[in-house]
Amino acid sequence: MVMKIPFKEDQKAGYHGDVRDLKYSLSDEDFSLLRIYLMDILHGESGKSLLKLWNIGSQEGACVISSGRIFQAGILKEILQKRNLANLSITMNTYQKDSDRFSKMNIHAIKSFAIDIDYRQNEALKDKDPQTIKQWLMSENFLGLPWPNWIETGHQLRLIYVLYKPVFNRKRTKNLFVLIERIMKVMCQKINEELDLYAEPQKLTSFLRLPGSINTKGMEMVRVERTNTKKYTLDYYVEEILPALPIWYGGWKKRKRNTKRREKALKNLEMHNRQVLEDLKAYQTFLNKKRIMTGHREVMCWIYCKYCYLISGDQEDAVEKAVKFNKGFLCPLIERQLRFDIRTTDPMPLRNQTILDQLGIDDVIKKEAGIKIGENVRKKECQKRYDQKKRRKKFKKGEYKCQKMKNQKEKIYTLYNQGFTQTAIGEKLGISRKTVYNYLRMKKEELRKQEEMIRRLRAALKGEKKVGRPEVITRLNSAAKKYEVWKQRLEMLEHRFHESSGEVLLPSSLKRHKKRRKKIWRPKIFYW
């Protein structure tokens, strides 16, 4: 695809005015090509992210627009007609709707990446035309690298690679950016080593120049041309471009992950231990305020020494802190005896409930003293929330057995209605013939029960007495006021019966069950 500009090449050469005075205007044919170009790069966005369109180096403000609206009829054309030709650009990736800046961490989805070919830095190629360099690259088979989907030519060259599927950055982490930047870096190194074209990876937050605009560096018209219709996934680029990971990498990554978890657990444990010490001081203040001289002093000093030892790891220091804590009571314990009692402390922590029970703290005291031990969500509640979240994700993916069975049933009924035998259906879906037979039998039994229900409801509405047992007839006659309810139920059942029988059962299969109806009927169907 080659885009035209609003004036001819000879007019551009003789144009002495400012390019910023010329508005960006395209014919209907060129505009449709531009729309195809943007649709291909942006994957036809549905409007959950933002794009920025602006003139680089201009004092005119940027146009921020929802990525879905840009493809609506007339909106893109209206926006472009208000812009001038000089350095008209658009972001190559979309950004989060709640972002206040168009920075890397606010990228919503990575849809493409680009490599700049600054071949004019090479003295031998300085005077070459971009089209000549492009033809040369094609003749070299591009060093075994994937050929770009689009090539942008203007002052120099830009290779644009469009991913097969956009990669979303939902967690807003740097790992995805590092991976794509590594891919671009390796590709640039290979191009520079073989061809010396001064290839440079372009930032993911960078821009693409719109076809038909003017690059003011060399006053050249920007053109784009599709060179490859085949797109690749990010995994393909990782496998083909990046070198293979060493054997030790998997174990190292696992150890690193475990180390991070361990560090986080130790940090949380230290915070909990410090909270226990603060709560002991708060309880001591509460006892002094209530003028309680005795009770729980020995246990409190022992627990205080234990948790000081857990934090510092120094037993002597823990004992000194416990002695200092003892002096805070209105009636402190004897220091010599206290040192002897708490020296044999063991470094194992206690459960929150154990501490509360040993100190005799109930909910009333805990609230009055401002004690926070045991206020955290229990492990069972956390596990319950985690399981609920896991179940929701599993349900969305359709991984539940009931969902798989439902899908399997629908496939079986569809194939059976198309005329496939039970054996052929089993081979096609990878299940046994007996399973297919059981599903069909259950469906036929369900239809037979619905037909029986319809027949009896019709008889009840007509007032026939040969419906079934006498007690059932009495019940039906006493419920004459529910005539409308029966009528609605009859219409619903008839609709369901005809709808289902059209899918699975043939007329011959209905006849086979005719003789069994009187034997299988149960009166419980009338207890609605």
Side-chain angles (χ1 to χ4, degrees), residues 50 95-103 106-107 172:
L50 298 176
Y95 292 81
Q96 303 280 356
K97 273 204 165 183
D98 58 347
S99 57
D100 54 344
R101 297 173 62 237
F102 283 80
S103 61
N106 288 330
I107 290 179
R172 301 195 182 189

Side-chain angles (χ1 to χ4, degrees), residues 121 164 232 258 270 290 298 340 342 368 412 430 515:
Q121 296 184 29
Y164 179 72
Y232 302 100
N258 292 339
E270 185 179 352
K290 296 287 184 181
E298 297 85 352
F340 179 78
I342 63 177
E368 193 174 348
I412 289 171
K515 296 178 182 178

Side-chain angles (χ1 to χ4, degrees), residues 20 22-25 53-55 58 60-64 78-86 88:
R20 295 177 179 83
L22 295 174
K23 294 296 180 182
Y24 188 89
S25 60
L53 191 143
W54 78 110
N55 295 93
S58 172
E60 190 178 356
C63 175
V64 179
E78 183 183 348
I79 293 170
L80 292 176
Q81 285 174 353
K82 296 178 182 178
R83 295 278 162 179
N84 59 63
L85 283 173
L88 185 57

Side-chain angles (χ1 to χ4, degrees), residues 265 267-276 279 307 350-353 355-356 363 366 370-383 385:
K267 187 178 179 181
N268 292 340
L269 182 62
E270 185 179 352
M271 288 173 63
H272 173 262
N273 294 342
R274 293 188 184 280
Q275 184 61 48
V276 171
D279 288 339
Y307 277 87
L350 300 173
R351 293 178 62 188
N352 292 340
Q353 193 59 42
I355 296 173
L356 296 174
D363 293 339
K366 190 161 68 171
I371 296 172
K372 296 180 181 179
I373 296 177
E375 280 190 358
N376 296 332
V377 181
R378 295 183 179 180
K379 188 177 179 181
K380 287 184 179 179
E381 293 179 3
C382 292
Q383 187 66 31
R385 291 178 186 174

Side-chain angles (χ1 to χ4, degrees), residues 84 181 191 302 360 490 493:
N84 59 63
E181 285 167 1
I191 294 169
W302 175 70
L490 175 62
L493 285 169

Side-chain angles (χ1 to χ4, degrees), residues 400-486:
Y400 275 105
K401 190 176 179 181
C402 61
Q403 291 174 303
K404 291 179 180 178
M405 287 175 65
K406 186 179 178 181
N407 297 334
Q408 199 176 64
K409 282 180 185 178
E410 291 174 357
K411 290 178 183 177
I412 289 171
Y413 299 154
T414 306
L415 292 172
Y416 185 72
N417 195 37
Q418 291 173 3
F420 286 88
T421 61
Q422 295 179 9
T423 308
I425 293 170
E427 290 176 356
K428 195 163 187 177
L429 299 179
I431 55 178
S432 64
R433 190 198 65 81
K434 191 173 181 181
T435 305
V436 178
Y437 169 76
N438 289 335
Y439 279 138
L440 292 174
R441 182 178 56 79
M442 287 190 296
K443 186 69 174 179
K444 291 172 184 178
E445 186 70 19
E446 181 186 345
L447 292 176
R448 190 193 59 74
K449 287 181 180 179
Q450 288 183 8
E451 188 185 10
E452 185 68 21
M453 177 75 101
I454 290 170
R455 187 181 69 81
R456 296 200 169 273
L457 281 169
R458 278 178 178 160
L461 291 173
K462 289 177 182 178
E464 295 179 6
K465 292 188 177 181
K466 296 180 181 180
V467 179
R469 297 181 181 181
E471 59 268 20
V472 178
I473 297 169
T474 307
R475 184 176 178 81
L476 288 172
N477 291 335
S478 64
K481 294 179 181 179
K482 296 184 179 180
Y483 176 82
E484 292 296 330
V485 178
W486 293 349

Side-chain angles (χ1 to χ4, degrees), residues 280-342:
L280 287 172
K281 291 178 181 177
Y283 189 50
Q284 186 187 58
T285 306
F286 172 77
L287 293 176
N288 293 340
K289 190 177 179 181
K290 296 287 184 181
R291 309 298 295 177
I292 300 174
M293 302 284 186
T294 59
H296 307 301
R297 291 174 299 169
E298 297 85 352
V299 179
M300 287 176 69
C301 290
W302 175 70
I303 294 173
Y304 196 90
C305 181
K306 175 189 281 288
Y307 277 87
C308 287
Y309 180 57
L310 284 170
I311 293 170
S312 63
D314 186 357
Q315 191 175 14
E316 294 296 330
D317 182 55
V319 171
E320 292 298 327
K321 288 180 179 178
V323 170
K324 188 177 179 181
F325 172 74
N326 175 53
K327 293 177 181 178
F329 290 107
L330 292 176
C331 183
L333 298 168
I334 300 171
E335 184 178 332
R336 184 178 176 184
Q337 185 66 29
L338 179 67
R339 287 179 180 275
F340 179 78
D341 290 340
I342 63 177

Side-chain angles (χ1 to χ4, degrees), residues 96 105 107-109 166-173 176:
Q96 303 280 356
M105 296 309 296
I107 290 179
H108 172 254
V167 185
F168 295 94
N169 184 30
R170 293 186 176 89
K171 295 184 179 179
R172 301 195 182 189
T173 57
L176 178 61

